[in-house]
Amino acid sequence: GDSVTQTEGPVTLSEGTSLTVNCSYETKQYPTLFWYVQYPGEGPQLLFKVPKANEKGSNRGFEATYNKEATSFHLQKASVQESDSAVYYCALSERSNYQLIWGSGTKLIIKP
Amino acid sequence: NSKVIQTPRYLVKGQGQKAKMRCIPEKGHPVVFWYQQNKNNEFKFLINFQNQEVLQQIDMTEKRFSAECPSNSPCSLEIQSSEAGDSALYLCASRSRDKNTGQLYFGEGSKLTVL
């Protein structure tokens, strides 16, 4: 079945450094790929989505490219801020139904 | 700001008690999901609806939970007899009917503690 694997956390970085959270997926379909972010005490919220292969999504300085050949969707940010501290989830949607397949989440801790 | 409204934000129950949570999906979204999120931040899919009909549910939900999404009323998820292992954050999410690109919109969750 479909699956999503992402960097195991927690990931601890200093403010101003660069971030990469790896995400790899397995599917026989043509999914839309998502990055969600969850701040403490809140529900997950969409960071961005990319429905088409080889396109890039971005929001708030975060970006990821839907790499169909490598089946990857790595999240990157050039310079993280303390307010980026949260849990980040990679997910894919199955077009055959309404399900989202979730990665296990990566807790990001940014130190000032 | 979340447009999916979940109530209550917190509930505390004793083992064996019923625990009921409600969800108002975003306006115009016919598909509603319930997830259980544990302390390790992992999501467990519980059940989903399209309008009032159940699309999919896991075995645990079928046996121990009662869920519905009546027309013109909030959706609800009720644990018939709470167990310690049910302590978790219960997240409701809604989406459009578009299977190609529709993302999930989440509420802030109902945090259940079973003593």
Side-chain angles (χ1 to χ4, degrees):
Chain A
D2 295 357
S3 66
V4 175
T5 304
Q6 62 181 100
T7 301
E8 193 171 323
V11 172
T12 304
L13 296 172
S14 297
E15 207 166 25
T17 58
S18 64
L19 166 74
T20 298
V21 178
N22 290 333
C23 172
S24 298
Y25 64 91
E26 289 187 23
T27 180
K28 294 181 180 178
Q29 302 181 58
Y30 300 93
T32 293
L33 299 179
F34 302 83
W35 275 102
Y36 278 81
V37 57
Q38 186 174 20
Y39 298 101
E42 299 182 12
Q45 57 184 268
L46 181 70
L47 191 54
F48 55 81
K49 65 180 180 184
V50 180
K52 291 184 179 179
N54 303 318
E55 291 192 354
K56 181 186 286 188
S58 63
N59 187 19
R60 304 186 217 166
F62 291 91
E63 62 179 32
T65 299
Y66 183 157
N67 188 325
K68 184 169 178 286
E69 288 69 35
T71 62
S72 68
F73 192 51
H74 305 323
L75 180 69
Q76 296 179 308
K77 187 173 186 182
S79 178
V80 295
Q81 301 172 340
E82 195 175 352
S83 58
D84 294 329
S85 297
V87 181
Y88 292 81
Y89 296 90
C90 184
L92 69 82
S93 66
E94 296 181 323
R95 294 183 195 269
S96 60
N97 57 41
Y98 291 113
Q99 284 287 3
L100 279 189
I101 306 301
W102 295 88
S104 57
T106 303
K107 185 173 183 178
L108 178 63
I109 301 169
I110 307 299
K111 294 186 174 181
Chain B
N1 290 332
S2 175
K3 296 179 182 177
V4 175
I5 309 300
Q6 287 190 249
T7 55
R9 287 295 308 275
Y10 304 94
L11 61 166
V12 179
K13 297 292 178 182
Q15 293 194 46
Q17 289 186 317
K18 288 187 179 182
K20 189 168 187 175
M21 294 154 271
R22 292 178 176 82
C23 170
I24 300 174
E26 185 160 336
K27 190 176 181 180
H29 282 184
V31 184
V32 175
F33 284 73
W34 285 98
Y35 287 95
Q36 181 192 66
Q37 188 178 34
N38 63 21
K39 288 182 179 179
N40 295 322
N41 296 315
E42 295 165 333
F43 289 95
K44 178 189 281 186
F45 165 78
L46 296 177
I47 189 169
N48 59 356
F49 293 83
Q50 182 167 354
N51 298 314
Q52 293 80 54
E53 293 191 14
V54 175
L55 292 175
Q56 298 163 294
Q57 63 180 324
I58 63 172
D59 201 44
M60 179 180 82
T61 308
E62 196 168 356
K63 290 179 179 176
R64 298 183 48 241
F65 291 61
S66 172
E68 60 177 1
C69 268
S71 61
N72 301 317
S73 293
C75 297
S76 64
L77 178 72
E78 184 174 37
I79 305 173
Q80 298 300 307
S81 179
S82 300
E83 300 174 357
D86 295 330
S87 295
L89 182 67
Y90 289 83
L91 290 163
C92 176
S94 70
R95 60 171 288 174
S96 70
R97 192 176 285 110
D98 182 359
K99 288 182 181 177
N100 289 324
T101 61
Q103 69 255 26
L104 291 178
Y105 294 82
F106 284 85
E108 295 191 324
S110 293
K111 187 173 181 180
L112 171 65
T113 301
V114 181
L115 302 175

